[in-house]
Amino acid sequence: MPKTSLHMKILLWGWAILLCTLLLTFWFYYGTVSEELTASGRQNTSRLLNYVRWEISHSPVRPGTPQFQNEITELGSHLDIRITYIKNGKVLADSGVAAERLSQLDDHSNRPEVIAAEAAGTGKNIRYSKTLQTRMLYVAQVMDTQGEFLRLAMPYSVIGERLDKIMLHFTVMLALLAIGSAILLIFVGKRTTSAVKEVSATAQAIGEGDYGKRIRVIPGGEYKLMAESINSMAKKIQGHIRIIEDQRNQLDAMFENMTEGIMVLDPQGKIESVNKSMTELIPDTQNFIGRVPLEVLTRHEIQDSVDKIIKHDSEKDSGSLIVDLADGRSMNITICSYKDYKARRKLILVFHDISEVRRVEKVLRDFVSNASHQLRTPLTSIKGYSETLIDNPPQDRKVLVGFLGTILDNANHMSKVITGMFALARSEYSGKKLRTRPTDLQKCIGLSMTNLRSLAENKNISHGQIPQVNVTGTNEGLVQIFDNLIENAIKYAPGDTKVNIQAEIDAGYAVIKVVDQGPGIAAADKERIFERFFKLDENAVGHGSSGLGLALCRSLARNFNGDIWVESPVDAATGTGSSFCVKLPVTAEQASESEQDSQQGDYI
């Protein structure tokens, strides 16, 4: 069933009000006529009562005799009314009752009209008569003799018939008016329905986004002004929507393609939306929509800044802070507020990953600090010996050679420090971006042994058998690791001893151990020796130590997804010997081989 238009509803309500008004008018009119007819009947009955009373008072027949009953019956028949003569509640004569039944009639002293007549002289009442089986109008009056009453009764149906005729006439009139107004309503409704439908359909289409819709046909002239207003409104809205859509598309393009992560918070400080870059920076962000930033970022500094701005009243509230996330990344976060169309405060958080910038700054800072620290002493020594040679050159050739040797040693130390610093910086810069590949561990260790052959021969140090293990890494990186580890083992091992290199495969990793018989390493120094520029022997310039070798080894091992540590002492009884362990991931083929094939024997 189609929905009724507002115009038709108004007409229907008007029609209903008209019918209600006519019904109320008839109700008042009908009540008034009923009262007037009843009053008129009572007046007629009162006149007849006076007439009958006069006839009885001038009649020689006494009440209670058969002649009096006959006279009352004849008079009632002549006047077409019922006449009753009552004395002390007993009926002495009744024109509507046979003489032999008079003694069977009830006591009439309790009749309402009789009681009213006894009190006021005259009484009236309308009720149903069981004797005559119809509604009657009763009028009673006191006679001259005390306790005697004359009562007349006439059928009330005469008045009812008149009222029925009035009811019929008014019902016919009301039906005609209802039909006529209904016809007029249908005519007016059909005349305006097309106009209302046209206006309604156009307004609905505009509301649903069809801003090109216009009202074309206006059957009713009274709707012309409204139609023109709607057409003008639709045209203006269409222009505004085009501008808004262009701006929205521009903002969406910028929002989704920014390298910075964007997080929008609702008025309660909960995450409302994020852009693509934000999900790349923190993958779980999309799953935390509707929750506070603390739950996804786990940084109370960000939550504190958000809460502070939300509770503030200024529209220019903003903030900026730098935080370090749990995964080691550094974020520069800018927080700014704005108000939406409901004047509610919302926040936008812009996340800029400055990890690389801070890392480069740290590397540069460490490089400058370390360079100034490590190069100051040898430079001072070189400068002092050079000035001595210039100002007061020694005549003794041995002293001269000693001075020049010291200068050369310090220069070599400086060269090694600078080379180590660049190697360490390059390793830290490459980090996890380094592309590893299957690497022959035996070949890399062999290259390191070749590089250190002269050093090992001078101290008469031998090494074990090189293991055959394939690991993931780079040739250059592995050679650097074992160059440093084997060189340290050779330097600190006593003469005529051995350096043992062994390897085993465990849970997809190869653990290579470089074991020497040199002095042990104290427990407090086991972690510190992998720090840059840390030296067990502060006078290690003579040994050519830069303090960067083990730091470089740890950086390279971790770049290969491995690790490095030291176990010392090897011989608990003498407290001597150190075992430097390198853990590197093996290739898939190597991991599938049996443990027996992957193990190697020791060479003495």
Side-chain angles (χ1 to χ4, degrees), residues 458-503:
N458 291 336
K459 297 188 69 175
N460 194 23
I461 294 177
S462 61
H463 59 81
Q465 184 180 356
I466 300 174
Q468 179 65 47
V469 179
N470 293 326
V471 297
T472 57
T474 64
N475 288 325
E476 180 183 2
L478 292 178
V479 169
Q480 284 183 307
I481 291 175
F482 292 108
D483 274 355
N484 282 283
L485 294 181
I486 297 173
E487 182 181 2
N488 286 341
I490 294 173
K491 282 182 179 179
Y492 293 101
D496 297 325
T497 60
K498 60 182 177 181
V499 174
N500 191 17
I501 302 175
Q502 49 186 287

mmCIF file of all heavy atoms in Angstrom, residues 458-503:
data_model
loop_
_atom_site.group_PDB
_atom_site.id
_atom_site.type_symbol
_atom_site.label_atom_id
_atom_site.label_comp_id
_atom_site.label_asym_id
_atom_site.label_seq_id
_atom_site.Cartn_x
_atom_site.Cartn_y
_atom_site.Cartn_z
ATOM 1 N N ASN A 458 106.045 -17.210 13.107
ATOM 2 C CA ASN A 458 106.980 -16.538 13.998
ATOM 3 C C ASN A 458 106.867 -17.035 15.427
ATOM 4 O O ASN A 458 107.832 -17.036 16.177
ATOM 5 C CB ASN A 458 106.770 -15.029 13.976
ATOM 6 C CG ASN A 458 107.180 -14.414 12.633
ATOM 7 O OD1 ASN A 458 108.004 -15.004 11.915
ATOM 8 N ND2 ASN A 458 106.626 -13.259 12.302
ATOM 9 N N LYS A 459 105.615 -17.479 15.803
ATOM 10 C CA LYS A 459 105.416 -17.958 17.166
ATOM 11 C C LYS A 459 105.301 -19.472 17.219
ATOM 12 O O LYS A 459 105.015 -20.042 18.270
ATOM 13 C CB LYS A 459 104.156 -17.328 17.773
ATOM 14 C CG LYS A 459 104.260 -15.813 17.905
ATOM 15 C CD LYS A 459 103.117 -15.209 18.682
ATOM 16 C CE LYS A 459 103.215 -15.605 20.137
ATOM 17 N NZ LYS A 459 102.193 -14.954 20.974
ATOM 18 N N ASN A 460 105.502 -20.126 16.089
ATOM 19 C CA ASN A 460 105.467 -21.594 16.034
ATOM 20 C C ASN A 460 104.148 -22.118 16.584
ATOM 21 O O ASN A 460 104.091 -22.995 17.443
ATOM 22 C CB ASN A 460 106.650 -22.190 16.821
ATOM 23 C CG ASN A 460 106.832 -23.676 16.503
ATOM 24 O OD1 ASN A 460 106.405 -24.150 15.433
ATOM 25 N ND2 ASN A 460 107.441 -24.407 17.422
ATOM 26 N N ILE A 461 103.030 -21.556 16.056
ATOM 27 C CA ILE A 461 101.682 -21.941 16.490
ATOM 28 C C ILE A 461 101.024 -22.700 15.352
ATOM 29 O O ILE A 461 101.056 -22.285 14.191
ATOM 30 C CB ILE A 461 100.848 -20.706 16.874
ATOM 31 C CG1 ILE A 461 101.455 -20.028 18.118
ATOM 32 C CG2 ILE A 461 99.398 -21.093 17.146
ATOM 33 C CD1 ILE A 461 100.753 -18.772 18.531
ATOM 34 N N SER A 462 100.411 -23.824 15.689
ATOM 35 C CA SER A 462 99.711 -24.631 14.686
ATOM 36 C C SER A 462 98.200 -24.553 14.943
ATOM 37 O O SER A 462 97.751 -24.160 16.020
ATOM 38 C CB SER A 462 100.195 -26.081 14.754
ATOM 39 O OG SER A 462 99.926 -26.632 16.039
ATOM 40 N N HIS A 463 97.423 -24.955 13.946
ATOM 41 C CA HIS A 463 95.955 -24.901 14.083
ATOM 42 C C HIS A 463 95.377 -26.252 13.728
ATOM 43 O O HIS A 463 96.027 -27.107 13.114
ATOM 44 C CB HIS A 463 95.378 -23.817 13.170
ATOM 45 C CG HIS A 463 95.703 -24.034 11.718
ATOM 46 N ND1 HIS A 463 95.001 -24.908 10.921
ATOM 47 C CD2 HIS A 463 96.666 -23.484 10.931
ATOM 48 C CE1 HIS A 463 95.499 -24.890 9.698
ATOM 49 N NE2 HIS A 463 96.522 -24.036 9.671
ATOM 50 N N GLY A 464 94.119 -26.456 14.109
ATOM 51 C CA GLY A 464 93.451 -27.707 13.816
ATOM 52 C C GLY A 464 92.955 -27.756 12.379
ATOM 53 O O GLY A 464 93.168 -26.841 11.580
ATOM 54 N N GLN A 465 92.273 -28.876 12.067
ATOM 55 C CA GLN A 465 91.737 -29.067 10.717
ATOM 56 C C GLN A 465 90.569 -28.111 10.480
ATOM 57 O O GLN A 465 89.711 -27.930 11.338
ATOM 58 C CB GLN A 465 91.285 -30.515 10.540
ATOM 59 C CG GLN A 465 90.795 -30.819 9.132
ATOM 60 C CD GLN A 465 90.358 -32.277 8.991
ATOM 61 O OE1 GLN A 465 90.504 -33.047 9.927
ATOM 62 N NE2 GLN A 465 89.854 -32.621 7.846
ATOM 63 N N ILE A 466 90.563 -27.508 9.317
ATOM 64 C CA ILE A 466 89.492 -26.569 8.970
ATOM 65 C C ILE A 466 88.222 -27.359 8.654
ATOM 66 O O ILE A 466 88.250 -28.263 7.809
ATOM 67 C CB ILE A 466 89.896 -25.707 7.761
ATOM 68 C CG1 ILE A 466 91.174 -24.915 8.101
ATOM 69 C CG2 ILE A 466 88.761 -24.767 7.376
ATOM 70 C CD1 ILE A 466 91.744 -24.154 6.933
ATOM 71 N N PRO A 467 87.078 -27.078 9.302
ATOM 72 C CA PRO A 467 85.858 -27.864 9.089
ATOM 73 C C PRO A 467 85.200 -27.545 7.742
ATOM 74 O O PRO A 467 85.360 -26.455 7.196
ATOM 75 C CB PRO A 467 84.958 -27.430 10.244
ATOM 76 C CG PRO A 467 85.400 -26.036 10.547
ATOM 77 C CD PRO A 467 86.886 -26.006 10.294
ATOM 78 N N GLN A 468 84.500 -28.519 7.221
ATOM 79 C CA GLN A 468 83.767 -28.369 5.959
ATOM 80 C C GLN A 468 82.292 -28.096 6.309
ATOM 81 O O GLN A 468 81.496 -29.012 6.511
ATOM 82 C CB GLN A 468 83.888 -29.641 5.114
ATOM 83 C CG GLN A 468 83.142 -29.586 3.781
ATOM 84 C CD GLN A 468 83.753 -28.536 2.854
ATOM 85 O OE1 GLN A 468 84.971 -28.478 2.689
ATOM 86 N NE2 GLN A 468 82.906 -27.711 2.274
ATOM 87 N N VAL A 469 81.928 -26.810 6.410
ATOM 88 C CA VAL A 469 80.565 -26.407 6.769
ATOM 89 C C VAL A 469 80.130 -25.273 5.851
ATOM 90 O O VAL A 469 80.899 -24.336 5.609
ATOM 91 C CB VAL A 469 80.486 -25.942 8.250
ATOM 92 C CG1 VAL A 469 79.076 -25.508 8.591
ATOM 93 C CG2 VAL A 469 80.933 -27.050 9.181
ATOM 94 N N ASN A 470 78.928 -25.360 5.328
ATOM 95 C CA ASN A 470 78.354 -24.287 4.496
ATOM 96 C C ASN A 470 77.395 -23.449 5.341
ATOM 97 O O ASN A 470 76.445 -23.969 5.930
ATOM 98 C CB ASN A 470 77.600 -24.875 3.297
ATOM 99 C CG ASN A 470 78.528 -25.558 2.322
ATOM 100 O OD1 ASN A 470 79.672 -25.126 2.145
ATOM 101 N ND2 ASN A 470 78.075 -26.644 1.718
ATOM 102 N N VAL A 471 77.663 -22.155 5.405
ATOM 103 C CA VAL A 471 76.829 -21.244 6.196
ATOM 104 C C VAL A 471 76.320 -20.124 5.289
ATOM 105 O O VAL A 471 76.783 -19.941 4.170
ATOM 106 C CB VAL A 471 77.622 -20.657 7.376
ATOM 107 C CG1 VAL A 471 78.057 -21.737 8.330
ATOM 108 C CG2 VAL A 471 78.834 -19.853 6.881
ATOM 109 N N THR A 472 75.357 -19.352 5.807
ATOM 110 C CA THR A 472 74.859 -18.190 5.063
ATOM 111 C C THR A 472 75.602 -16.950 5.532
ATOM 112 O O THR A 472 75.699 -16.692 6.731
ATOM 113 C CB THR A 472 73.347 -17.996 5.295
ATOM 114 O OG1 THR A 472 73.104 -17.860 6.690
ATOM 115 C CG2 THR A 472 72.549 -19.167 4.748
ATOM 116 N N GLY A 473 76.124 -16.201 4.610
ATOM 117 C CA GLY A 473 76.890 -15.010 4.934
ATOM 118 C C GLY A 473 77.522 -14.455 3.677
ATOM 119 O O GLY A 473 77.011 -14.631 2.569
ATOM 120 N N THR A 474 78.671 -13.774 3.837
ATOM 121 C CA THR A 474 79.450 -13.281 2.696
ATOM 122 C C THR A 474 80.905 -13.671 2.904
ATOM 123 O O THR A 474 81.378 -13.771 4.050
ATOM 124 C CB THR A 474 79.330 -11.750 2.552
ATOM 125 O OG1 THR A 474 79.901 -11.124 3.705
ATOM 126 C CG2 THR A 474 77.883 -11.323 2.400
ATOM 127 N N ASN A 475 81.633 -13.875 1.826
ATOM 128 C CA ASN A 475 83.057 -14.241 1.919
ATOM 129 C C ASN A 475 83.841 -13.172 2.662
ATOM 130 O O ASN A 475 84.639 -13.471 3.562
ATOM 131 C CB ASN A 475 83.625 -14.456 0.519
ATOM 132 C CG ASN A 475 83.109 -15.735 -0.130
ATOM 133 O OD1 ASN A 475 82.898 -16.740 0.553
ATOM 134 N ND2 ASN A 475 82.900 -15.700 -1.432
ATOM 135 N N GLU A 476 83.624 -11.917 2.289
ATOM 136 C CA GLU A 476 84.378 -10.824 2.893
ATOM 137 C C GLU A 476 84.107 -10.736 4.382
ATOM 138 O O GLU A 476 85.030 -10.573 5.201
ATOM 139 C CB GLU A 476 84.011 -9.501 2.216
ATOM 140 C CG GLU A 476 84.759 -8.301 2.783
ATOM 141 C CD GLU A 476 84.314 -6.999 2.140
ATOM 142 O OE1 GLU A 476 83.403 -7.042 1.276
ATOM 143 O OE2 GLU A 476 84.856 -5.943 2.521
ATOM 144 N N GLY A 477 82.831 -10.854 4.763
ATOM 145 C CA GLY A 477 82.479 -10.745 6.165
ATOM 146 C C GLY A 477 83.052 -11.872 7.004
ATOM 147 O O GLY A 477 83.589 -11.645 8.101
ATOM 148 N N LEU A 478 82.964 -13.110 6.513
ATOM 149 C CA LEU A 478 83.489 -14.237 7.272
ATOM 150 C C LEU A 478 85.006 -14.171 7.386
ATOM 151 O O LEU A 478 85.585 -14.505 8.433
ATOM 152 C CB LEU A 478 83.057 -15.551 6.618
ATOM 153 C CG LEU A 478 81.556 -15.882 6.685
ATOM 154 C CD1 LEU A 478 81.262 -17.187 5.969
ATOM 155 C CD2 LEU A 478 81.087 -15.968 8.135
ATOM 156 N N VAL A 479 85.674 -13.727 6.335
ATOM 157 C CA VAL A 479 87.142 -13.582 6.391
ATOM 158 C C VAL A 479 87.526 -12.549 7.444
ATOM 159 O O VAL A 479 88.483 -12.742 8.215
ATOM 160 C CB VAL A 479 87.693 -13.220 4.999
ATOM 161 C CG1 VAL A 479 89.169 -12.808 5.102
ATOM 162 C CG2 VAL A 479 87.552 -14.399 4.039
ATOM 163 N N GLN A 480 86.760 -11.430 7.505
ATOM 164 C CA GLN A 480 87.058 -10.418 8.523
ATOM 165 C C GLN A 480 86.874 -10.974 9.928
ATOM 166 O O GLN A 480 87.668 -10.693 10.839
ATOM 167 C CB GLN A 480 86.158 -9.194 8.315
ATOM 168 C CG GLN A 480 86.573 -8.301 7.158
ATOM 169 C CD GLN A 480 85.689 -7.074 7.062
ATOM 170 O OE1 GLN A 480 84.476 -7.184 7.022
ATOM 171 N NE2 GLN A 480 86.300 -5.912 7.020
ATOM 172 N N ILE A 481 85.792 -11.746 10.141
ATOM 173 C CA ILE A 481 85.549 -12.317 11.471
ATOM 174 C C ILE A 481 86.707 -13.207 11.901
ATOM 175 O O ILE A 481 87.287 -13.051 12.998
ATOM 176 C CB ILE A 481 84.222 -13.115 11.481
ATOM 177 C CG1 ILE A 481 83.026 -12.176 11.341
ATOM 178 C CG2 ILE A 481 84.102 -13.937 12.770
ATOM 179 C CD1 ILE A 481 81.685 -12.890 11.220
ATOM 180 N N PHE A 482 87.079 -14.146 11.022
ATOM 181 C CA PHE A 482 88.108 -15.113 11.428
ATOM 182 C C PHE A 482 89.513 -14.509 11.381
ATOM 183 O O PHE A 482 90.409 -14.978 12.083
ATOM 184 C CB PHE A 482 88.008 -16.372 10.574
ATOM 185 C CG PHE A 482 86.746 -17.155 10.858
ATOM 186 C CD1 PHE A 482 85.709 -17.180 9.940
ATOM 187 C CD2 PHE A 482 86.587 -17.828 12.056
ATOM 188 C CE1 PHE A 482 84.547 -17.880 10.208
ATOM 189 C CE2 PHE A 482 85.434 -18.538 12.327
ATOM 190 C CZ PHE A 482 84.405 -18.565 11.411
ATOM 191 N N ASP A 483 89.733 -13.495 10.576
ATOM 192 C CA ASP A 483 90.996 -12.759 10.641
ATOM 193 C C ASP A 483 91.213 -12.225 12.060
ATOM 194 O O ASP A 483 92.292 -12.378 12.651
ATOM 195 C CB ASP A 483 90.990 -11.601 9.650
ATOM 196 C CG ASP A 483 91.432 -12.044 8.261
ATOM 197 O OD1 ASP A 483 91.833 -13.225 8.119
ATOM 198 O OD2 ASP A 483 91.375 -11.234 7.317
ATOM 199 N N ASN A 484 90.181 -11.573 12.586
ATOM 200 C CA ASN A 484 90.305 -10.977 13.923
ATOM 201 C C ASN A 484 90.415 -12.027 15.011
ATOM 202 O O ASN A 484 91.256 -11.918 15.928
ATOM 203 C CB ASN A 484 89.094 -10.068 14.203
ATOM 204 C CG ASN A 484 89.186 -8.729 13.508
ATOM 205 O OD1 ASN A 484 89.906 -7.845 13.946
ATOM 206 N ND2 ASN A 484 88.457 -8.584 12.410
ATOM 207 N N LEU A 485 89.583 -13.079 14.955
ATOM 208 C CA LEU A 485 89.595 -14.091 16.013
ATOM 209 C C LEU A 485 90.908 -14.878 16.020
ATOM 210 O O LEU A 485 91.513 -15.103 17.095
ATOM 211 C CB LEU A 485 88.406 -15.035 15.838
ATOM 212 C CG LEU A 485 87.013 -14.429 16.030
ATOM 213 C CD1 LEU A 485 85.931 -15.497 15.856
ATOM 214 C CD2 LEU A 485 86.886 -13.771 17.396
ATOM 215 N N ILE A 486 91.361 -15.299 14.840
ATOM 216 C CA ILE A 486 92.600 -16.099 14.777
ATOM 217 C C ILE A 486 93.805 -15.223 15.102
ATOM 218 O O ILE A 486 94.750 -15.669 15.770
ATOM 219 C CB ILE A 486 92.729 -16.760 13.400
ATOM 220 C CG1 ILE A 486 91.551 -17.735 13.175
ATOM 221 C CG2 ILE A 486 94.050 -17.507 13.275
ATOM 222 C CD1 ILE A 486 91.499 -18.326 11.769
ATOM 223 N N GLU A 487 93.790 -13.975 14.649
ATOM 224 C CA GLU A 487 94.909 -13.071 14.959
ATOM 225 C C GLU A 487 95.020 -12.851 16.461
ATOM 226 O O GLU A 487 96.118 -12.880 17.033
ATOM 227 C CB GLU A 487 94.715 -11.740 14.246
ATOM 228 C CG GLU A 487 95.870 -10.772 14.487
ATOM 229 C CD GLU A 487 95.658 -9.444 13.782
ATOM 230 O OE1 GLU A 487 94.597 -9.277 13.134
ATOM 231 O OE2 GLU A 487 96.537 -8.574 13.883
ATOM 232 N N ASN A 488 93.882 -12.640 17.140
ATOM 233 C CA ASN A 488 93.910 -12.464 18.598
ATOM 234 C C ASN A 488 94.417 -13.729 19.281
ATOM 235 O O ASN A 488 95.199 -13.678 20.255
ATOM 236 C CB ASN A 488 92.514 -12.115 19.116
ATOM 237 C CG ASN A 488 92.120 -10.684 18.776
ATOM 238 O OD1 ASN A 488 92.982 -9.860 18.479
ATOM 239 N ND2 ASN A 488 90.832 -10.395 18.822
ATOM 240 N N ALA A 489 93.943 -14.899 18.798
ATOM 241 C CA ALA A 489 94.394 -16.161 19.398
ATOM 242 C C ALA A 489 95.895 -16.328 19.260
ATOM 243 O O ALA A 489 96.589 -16.787 20.188
ATOM 244 C CB ALA A 489 93.650 -17.333 18.745
ATOM 245 N N ILE A 490 96.442 -15.939 18.091
ATOM 246 C CA ILE A 490 97.884 -16.062 17.863
ATOM 247 C C ILE A 490 98.654 -15.065 18.722
ATOM 248 O O ILE A 490 99.698 -15.380 19.300
ATOM 249 C CB ILE A 490 98.204 -15.875 16.365
ATOM 250 C CG1 ILE A 490 97.603 -17.029 15.549
ATOM 251 C CG2 ILE A 490 99.702 -15.772 16.135
ATOM 252 C CD1 ILE A 490 97.725 -16.847 14.042
ATOM 253 N N LYS A 491 98.130 -13.836 18.826
ATOM 254 C CA LYS A 491 98.837 -12.791 19.576
ATOM 255 C C LYS A 491 98.973 -13.140 21.056
ATOM 256 O O LYS A 491 100.021 -12.962 21.662
ATOM 257 C CB LYS A 491 98.099 -11.460 19.438
ATOM 258 C CG LYS A 491 98.326 -10.751 18.116
ATOM 259 C CD LYS A 491 97.597 -9.416 18.111
ATOM 260 C CE LYS A 491 97.830 -8.672 16.812
ATOM 261 N NZ LYS A 491 97.111 -7.387 16.790
ATOM 262 N N TYR A 492 97.846 -13.617 21.641
ATOM 263 C CA TYR A 492 97.837 -13.801 23.091
ATOM 264 C C TYR A 492 98.201 -15.230 23.519
ATOM 265 O O TYR A 492 98.276 -15.501 24.715
ATOM 266 C CB TYR A 492 96.455 -13.424 23.649
ATOM 267 C CG TYR A 492 96.157 -11.956 23.501
ATOM 268 C CD1 TYR A 492 95.332 -11.499 22.486
ATOM 269 C CD2 TYR A 492 96.730 -11.032 24.376
ATOM 270 C CE1 TYR A 492 95.050 -10.141 22.337
ATOM 271 C CE2 TYR A 492 96.470 -9.674 24.232
ATOM 272 C CZ TYR A 492 95.624 -9.229 23.219
ATOM 273 O OH TYR A 492 95.385 -7.904 23.081
ATOM 274 N N ALA A 493 98.423 -16.133 22.575
ATOM 275 C CA ALA A 493 98.802 -17.511 22.938
ATOM 276 C C ALA A 493 100.318 -17.587 23.162
ATOM 277 O O ALA A 493 101.096 -16.942 22.465
ATOM 278 C CB ALA A 493 98.376 -18.476 21.835
ATOM 279 N N PRO A 494 100.750 -18.378 24.117
ATOM 280 C CA PRO A 494 102.201 -18.553 24.330
ATOM 281 C C PRO A 494 102.834 -19.246 23.122
ATOM 282 O O PRO A 494 102.156 -19.871 22.300
ATOM 283 C CB PRO A 494 102.266 -19.437 25.569
ATOM 284 C CG PRO A 494 100.921 -19.304 26.225
ATOM 285 C CD PRO A 494 99.951 -19.087 25.116
ATOM 286 N N GLY A 495 104.158 -19.115 23.001
ATOM 287 C CA GLY A 495 104.857 -19.754 21.895
ATOM 288 C C GLY A 495 104.792 -21.271 21.969
ATOM 289 O O GLY A 495 104.618 -21.846 23.053
ATOM 290 N N ASP A 496 104.933 -21.899 20.846
ATOM 291 C CA ASP A 496 104.930 -23.356 20.724
ATOM 292 C C ASP A 496 103.631 -23.978 21.250
ATOM 293 O O ASP A 496 103.634 -25.044 21.867
ATOM 294 C CB ASP A 496 106.135 -23.962 21.453
ATOM 295 C CG ASP A 496 107.453 -23.511 20.853
ATOM 296 O OD1 ASP A 496 107.479 -23.338 19.607
ATOM 297 O OD2 ASP A 496 108.396 -23.295 21.616
ATOM 298 N N THR A 497 102.536 -23.289 21.056
ATOM 299 C CA THR A 497 101.218 -23.835 21.431
ATOM 300 C C THR A 497 100.374 -23.982 20.165
ATOM 301 O O THR A 497 100.836 -23.718 19.041
ATOM 302 C CB THR A 497 100.504 -22.921 22.438
ATOM 303 O OG1 THR A 497 100.307 -21.642 21.865
ATOM 304 C CG2 THR A 497 101.312 -22.803 23.731
ATOM 305 N N LYS A 498 99.156 -24.395 20.363
ATOM 306 C CA LYS A 498 98.288 -24.618 19.207
ATOM 307 C C LYS A 498 96.995 -23.800 19.331
ATOM 308 O O LYS A 498 96.525 -23.498 20.421
ATOM 309 C CB LYS A 498 97.946 -26.099 19.085
ATOM 310 C CG LYS A 498 97.214 -26.671 20.284
ATOM 311 C CD LYS A 498 96.946 -28.150 20.123
ATOM 312 C CE LYS A 498 96.273 -28.716 21.379
ATOM 313 N NZ LYS A 498 96.028 -30.170 21.245
ATOM 314 N N VAL A 499 96.440 -23.444 18.186
ATOM 315 C CA VAL A 499 95.126 -22.800 18.078
ATOM 316 C C VAL A 499 94.199 -23.814 17.443
ATOM 317 O O VAL A 499 94.452 -24.276 16.322
ATOM 318 C CB VAL A 499 95.191 -21.507 17.238
ATOM 319 C CG1 VAL A 499 93.793 -20.954 17.041
ATOM 320 C CG2 VAL A 499 96.084 -20.474 17.921
ATOM 321 N N ASN A 500 93.159 -24.184 18.159
ATOM 322 C CA ASN A 500 92.248 -25.236 17.706
ATOM 323 C C ASN A 500 90.978 -24.611 17.136
ATOM 324 O O ASN A 500 90.323 -23.799 17.801
ATOM 325 C CB ASN A 500 91.916 -26.162 18.886
ATOM 326 C CG ASN A 500 91.186 -27.408 18.403
ATOM 327 O OD1 ASN A 500 91.214 -27.706 17.211
ATOM 328 N ND2 ASN A 500 90.554 -28.113 19.316
ATOM 329 N N ILE A 501 90.644 -24.971 15.896
ATOM 330 C CA ILE A 501 89.407 -24.505 15.259
ATOM 331 C C ILE A 501 88.498 -25.708 15.068
ATOM 332 O O ILE A 501 88.874 -26.682 14.411
ATOM 333 C CB ILE A 501 89.698 -23.824 13.907
ATOM 334 C CG1 ILE A 501 90.671 -22.647 14.100
ATOM 335 C CG2 ILE A 501 88.401 -23.338 13.279
ATOM 336 C CD1 ILE A 501 91.092 -22.009 12.802
ATOM 337 N N GLN A 502 87.298 -25.659 15.646
ATOM 338 C CA GLN A 502 86.370 -26.779 15.556
ATOM 339 C C GLN A 502 84.962 -26.241 15.296
ATOM 340 O O GLN A 502 84.678 -25.066 15.551
ATOM 341 C CB GLN A 502 86.397 -27.598 16.851
ATOM 342 C CG GLN A 502 86.265 -26.757 18.113
ATOM 343 C CD GLN A 502 86.446 -27.558 19.368
ATOM 344 O OE1 GLN A 502 85.581 -28.334 19.731
ATOM 345 N NE2 GLN A 502 87.607 -27.390 20.024
ATOM 346 N N ALA A 503 84.093 -27.113 14.779
ATOM 347 C CA ALA A 503 82.729 -26.688 14.442
ATOM 348 C C ALA A 503 81.773 -27.838 14.651
ATOM 349 O O ALA A 503 82.133 -29.019 14.547
ATOM 350 C CB ALA A 503 82.656 -26.197 12.998
#
